[in-house]
């Protein structure tokens, strides 16, 4: 069977399916590495589950709550950095306080535990010292928090591969092939892969895949969200995840502290046309809105000159707002796991189990659990997160832990080498971005001005390729165009 | 034939805009300079503009892939392009010591190129091939 | 953790740190440890293959790598303990007579206990994000220092059609190297109405190679998917704001950000030293001692310099201060603030304490001025300068005797005015 897309959805499905016997699972991804679609540029929040109206968006409502619960176990099993700090939805007016009550009711209906409306200023202040003085009340959702979304995808893929899943990176699915109304495989940029079951987790491109299979025809619109990230030393930060009262369109601009300790604000929500799925650029207006909206929620933001990076993410917006998660009579064997807009990340584990249910109940596939399935995966040991004693031990085990490659995030050579080995072990291509995502090198205030060169040297040596040909991201993103006399 | 060449003086931060009038490559007049040093500079810039030359040359088997070099004396400004073209064909072998003359009498210009950096032979410290 | 003892620890083995270490040994300091996180000494010098280094220090006109090698050999000859591939994780002020520097290396973590510290950690480059450029983030966007290292250390040609953002010396020098190696440098874009670098570099880097300099322009957006495809440029007004309807495109595959440097002061900040928000470096006295007694700073970590001779000079001043400190001779007589007056962006040192007979103030103006006068009213001091530009740090030498007479005024104001 084939899973198209190694983002958080595809990787979650791969992990869960790897529990079952006799499934030859191929995870097919068009990029050189995992998680480079919507999964790499989002707010990385584990949502509460009160935002999704069970009437209008039954899938979202059900899977978000279930997913949030599953993540608690998954982050422990897979060693994914996460901080379940809780979410505060902030109300500034009477109407907004009414909204909070509605949200709470909806949350109760959806089965979200622990929701409370707080109006006592002292309590609110204790929960969140950087709360704006104009906040009148808040919905407190202790179940929510933040996760390292890109590390989550990487962890999922590593675990899936460990449990037998095969990967195909740099492989673009061109179309799903059917015969006699049954799925027979996929045509890719690297040849044909046979399969009886094809699961479409292709994110922004899921509509094209579904259409090629002759299943549902729908249009995925890219929805762009812009963000600011601040210097790890810059404050004031926040303790909880802060949201305004949501609108029908979007949850609004959030203020969070990432798992790496940086303050982050965003996103906006602007729909682009379906032809703009490659347009990941920031805009002056978008960033202005982010700043203005975030400012409302807190007492203070750090000064703008402490922002170390701005970026934008694209979410795959389905036509009617709910996930497209189903199988079809024709073509038999094709399952859509598409339109995973917010709360896609939160729902991912639950989406994976839903796919299992669909396979069993709707496709009639018998699934038998393996006797030997490894639920555990350890992340790369991080020098930056270790105590000095632990650091001394790390260096003793591996002296390359004593060589600092990225000074702002304290990433060592040992971690970079480990990252390269791990990229290889999942069958992906080694790129500078892949190492950045696995080690956090280059994610500090200098944005890699010092260390990117060291990463490039290490990659060139590891792969035995010329320095200039090392890729930053995908093909066409090589560091240089040749050696220094190339143009002469 | 009379021609006027314009240039910016670099001798001090004022950066006077100097005009030099020439008649068949002989200087007739210099104006725009605030001091004598500027006039001297303008003269040499117009009649025989030279520049210090520095670049890198490819190195085989060294700890770094290129070695930085400098010319032992300034070269005519117009020759820079040709020099680079010549150097594109050169590949040196490590080890190289700073101060060593690595290319002699380049391009019949009576100029030597001297290494400005020491490059040891490469020692591989990362085993990696799959 | 293993403890090691020293008299002075110098953090950073670039020009400032090397000059400081040499001076410390020349002043007979017993145990000097120099810590650097690279594989070889020299800091940024090895990638600056052009000449202009050591003119005052060595009385020769050397290239960066040669100057680095010369200073390194002086350091090693004098018996300085050099720790390479070693990173100072933390600086802690233990008490007046002891500081702790935690250093990580392949051998493990060491706690270096020392009487004095000289921080010479240099600077970092401003990023594309810090200068308000929107749009995509494709490959091909590099800082000038990265391009310099790519080309002249690693022999890589970064691109073929280049736009350079910022006209400071680093950007101009990189423009020249790119043009020499066959790239088409389409423009150097400078937001201010005057160039950021020295005239010599405008002539020898831009004019020599026919590279256009666009003053009062700014790059607004970068466009490109995997690789840079073009930049969108606008004109700006005298407040540096984009003028509407003046946008145009420049097709290119490489954008070099040469928008300035910022002192690397993480260690000092986290140790609690007072930082000057204008310079980005620490507040210091005339011996370049920070607000942490016995902790000194020199070079680009103190303030962004233009000439390596000034950097070396600062290293030596810090070393002299450290030696006086260790001999209990660094005793403040007064506390005088140095204030930035008219057309002065910053002055270092910011505080004078009557410690040194001859004091050097380093400053930078905001805008260029011809026939300028540097005036310090409290001292009734006036110094003429034919031309003063933001591209070059200006120096003012004053004798402490003069200052001690006006201590009751509590401050010195440095002004740069246009003389009539």
């Amino acid at each position: 069977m084939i899973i198209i897309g190694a983002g958080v959805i595809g990787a979650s499905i791969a992990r869960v399916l790897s529990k079952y016997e006799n499934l030859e699972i191929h995870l097919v991804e068009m990029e050189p590495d995992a998680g480079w679609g919507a999964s790499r540029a989002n707010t990385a929040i584990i949502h509460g589950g009160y935002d999704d109206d069970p009437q209008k968006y039954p899938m979202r409502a059900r899977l978000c709550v279930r997913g949030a619960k599953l993540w608690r176990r998954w982050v422990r099993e897979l060693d994914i950095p996460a901080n379940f700090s809780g979410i505060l939805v902030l109300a500034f007016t009477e109407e907004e306080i009414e909204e909070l009550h509605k949200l709470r009711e909806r949350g109760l209906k959806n089965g979200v535990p622990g929701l409370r409306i707080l109006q006592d200023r002292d309590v609110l202040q204790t929960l969140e010292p950087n709360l704006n003085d104009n906040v009148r009340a808040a919905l407190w959702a202790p179940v929510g928090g933040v996760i390292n979304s890109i590390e989550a995808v990487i962890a999922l893929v590593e675990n899936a591969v460990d449990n037998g899943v095969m990967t195909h990176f740099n492989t673009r699915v061109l179309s799903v092939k059917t015969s006699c109304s049954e799925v027979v495989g996929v045509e890719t940029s690297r040849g044909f892969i046979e399969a009886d079951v094809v699961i479409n987790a292709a994110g922004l491109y899921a509509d094209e895949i579904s259409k090629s299979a002759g299943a549902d025809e729908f249009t995925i619109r890219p929805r762009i969200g812009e963000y600011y990230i601040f210097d790890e030393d810059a404050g004031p930060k926040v303790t909880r995840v802060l949201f305004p009262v949501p609108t029908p369109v979007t949850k609004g601009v959030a203020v969070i502290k990432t798992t790496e300790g940086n303050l982050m604000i965003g996103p906006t929500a602007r729909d682009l046309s379906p032809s703009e799925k490659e347009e990941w650029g920031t805009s002056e207006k978008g960033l202005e809105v982010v700043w203005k909206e975030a400012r409302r929620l807190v007492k203070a933001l750090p000064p703008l000159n402490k922002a170390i990076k701005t970026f934008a993410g694209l979410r795959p917006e389905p036509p009617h707002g709910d996930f497209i998660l189903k199988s079809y009579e024709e073509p038999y064997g094709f399952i859509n796991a598409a339109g995973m807009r917010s709360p896609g990340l939160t729902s991912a584990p639950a989406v994976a189990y839903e796919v299992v249910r669909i396979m069993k109940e709707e496709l009639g596939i018998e699934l038998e659990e393996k006797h030997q399935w490894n639920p555990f995966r350890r992340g790369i040991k991080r020098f930056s997160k270790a105590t000095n004693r632990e650091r001394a031990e790390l260096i003793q085990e591996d002296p390359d832990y004593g060589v600092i490659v990225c000074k702002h995030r304290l990433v060592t050579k040992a971690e970079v080498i480990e990252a390269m080995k791990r990229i290889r072990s999942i069958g992906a291509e080694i790129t500078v971005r892949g190492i950045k995502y696995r080690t956090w090198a280059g994610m500090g205030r200098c944005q890699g001005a010092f260390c990117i060169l060291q990463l490039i040297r290490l990659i060139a040596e590891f792969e035995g390729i010329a320095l200039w040909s090392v890729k930053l991201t995908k093909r066409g993103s090589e560091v240089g165009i040749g050696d220094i006399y190339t143009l002469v | 034939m009379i021609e006027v060449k314009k240039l910016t003086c670099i001798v001090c931060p004022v950066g006077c805009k100097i005009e030099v009038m020439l008649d068949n490559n002989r200087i007739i007049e210099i104006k725009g300079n605030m001091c004598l040093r500027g006039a001297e500079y303008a003269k040499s810039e117009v009649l025989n503009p030279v520049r210090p030359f520095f670049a890198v040359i490819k190195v085989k088997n060294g700890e770094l892939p290129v070695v930085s070099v400098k010319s032992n004396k300034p070269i005519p400004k117009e020759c820079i392009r040709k020099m680079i073209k010549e150097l594109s064909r050169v590949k040196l072998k490590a080890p190289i010591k700073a101060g060593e003359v690595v290319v002699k009498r380049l391009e019949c210009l009576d100029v030597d190129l001297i290494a400005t950096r020491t490059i040891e032979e490469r020692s591989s410290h990362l085993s990696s091939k799959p | 953790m293993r403890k090691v003892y020293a008299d002075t620890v110098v953090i950073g083995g670039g020009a400032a740190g090397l000059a400081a270490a040499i001076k410390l040994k020349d002043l007979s300091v017993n145990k000097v440890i120099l810590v650097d996180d690279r594989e070889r000494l020299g800091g940024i010098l090895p990638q600056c293959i052009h000449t202009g280094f050591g003119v005052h220090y060595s009385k020769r006109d050397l290239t960066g790598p040669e100057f680095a090698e010369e200073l390194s050999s002086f350091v090693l000859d004098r018996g300085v303990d050099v720790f390479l591939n070693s990173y100072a994780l933390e600086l802690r002020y233990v008490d007046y007579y002891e500081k702790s520097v935690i250093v990580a290396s392949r051998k493990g973590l060491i706690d270096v206990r020392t009487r004095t510290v000289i921080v010479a950690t240099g600077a970092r480059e401003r990023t594309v994000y810090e200068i308000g450029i929107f749009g995509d983030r494709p490959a091909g966007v590099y800082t000038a220092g990265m391009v310099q290292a790519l080309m002249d250390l690693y022999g890589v040609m970064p691109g073929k059609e280049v736009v350079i953002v910022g006209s400071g010396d680093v950007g101009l020098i990189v423009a020249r190297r790119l043009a020499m190696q066959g790239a088409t440098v389409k423009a150097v874009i400078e937001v201010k109405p005057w160039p950021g670098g020295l005239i010599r570099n405008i002539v020898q880097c831009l004019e020599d190679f026919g590279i256009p300099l666009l003053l009062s322009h700014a790059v607004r957006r970068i466009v490109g998917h995997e690789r840079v495809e073009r930049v969108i440029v606008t004109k700006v007004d005298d407040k540096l704001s984009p003028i509407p309807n003046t946008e145009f495109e420049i097709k290119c595959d490489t954008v070099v950000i040469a928008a300035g440097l910022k002192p690397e002061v993480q260690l000092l900040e986290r140790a609690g030293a007072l930082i000057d928000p204008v310079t980005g470096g620490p507040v210091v006295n005339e011996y370049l001692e920070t607000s942490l007694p016995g902790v000194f700073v020199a070079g680009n970590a103190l303030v962004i310099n233009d000439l390596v001779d000034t950097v070396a000079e600062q290293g030596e001043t810090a070393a002299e201060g450290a030696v006086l400190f260790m001999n209990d001779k660094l005793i403040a007589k007064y506390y005088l603030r140095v204030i930035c007056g008219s057309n002065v962006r910053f002055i270092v040192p910011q505080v004078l304490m009557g410690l040194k007979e001859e004091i050097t103030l380093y400053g930078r103006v905001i805008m260029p001025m011809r026939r300028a006068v540097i005036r310090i009213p409290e001292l009734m001091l006036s110094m003429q300068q034919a031309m003063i530009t933001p591209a070059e740090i200006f120096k003012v030498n004053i004798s402490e005797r003069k200052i001690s007479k006006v201590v009751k005024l509590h401050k010195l104001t440095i002004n740069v005015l246009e003389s009539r």
Side-chain angles (χ1 to χ4, degrees), chain A residues 187-228:
Chain A
E187 196 65 64
T188 77
S189 56
R190 287 186 159 181
F192 182 76
I193 308 177
E194 229 177 63
D196 308 318
V197 175
V198 169
I199 303 170
N200 179 14
L204 290 164
Y205 304 94
D207 49 353
E208 296 163 34
I209 300 291
S210 184
K211 186 162 166 210
S212 82
D216 265 340
E217 275 196 41
F218 48 87
T219 306
I220 297 286
R221 290 200 116 78
R223 175 169 286 181
I224 193 169
E226 304 185 46
Y227 300 85
Y228 279 99

Side-chain angles (χ1 to χ4, degrees), chain A residues 284 400 408 445 479 481, chain C residues 106 142 157 220 264 266:
Chain A
E284 186 172 16
D400 280 341
H408 291 128
R445 63 181 68 119
V479 158
I481 56 173
Chain C
R106 295 175 70 87
Y142 304 116
M157 192 62 192
R220 298 295 289 155
E264 262 287 302
Q266 197 169 266

Side-chain angles (χ1 to χ4, degrees), chain C residues 146-213:
Chain C
M146 279 171 70
V147 169
Q148 203 180 44
L150 275 172
M151 294 179 75
D152 295 337
L153 288 179
Y154 304 121
V156 171
M157 192 62 192
K160 60 181 193 286
E161 293 190 327
V162 186
V163 166
I164 308 211
V165 179
S167 66
D169 289 318
V170 185
L172 300 177
I173 287 169
V174 162
R176 172 173 56 189
R177 280 299 287 134
L178 285 163
M180 272 172 81
Q181 298 299 135
T184 309
V185 182
K186 298 230 170 148
V188 172
I189 314 271
E190 168 58 54
V191 72
K192 298 232 174 67
W194 52 77
L198 302 167
I199 301 282
R200 174 164 45 103
N201 289 327
I202 302 288
V203 170
Q204 294 187 343
C205 302
L206 300 189
E207 286 180 18
D208 274 9
F209 292 91
I211 299 172
L213 171 64

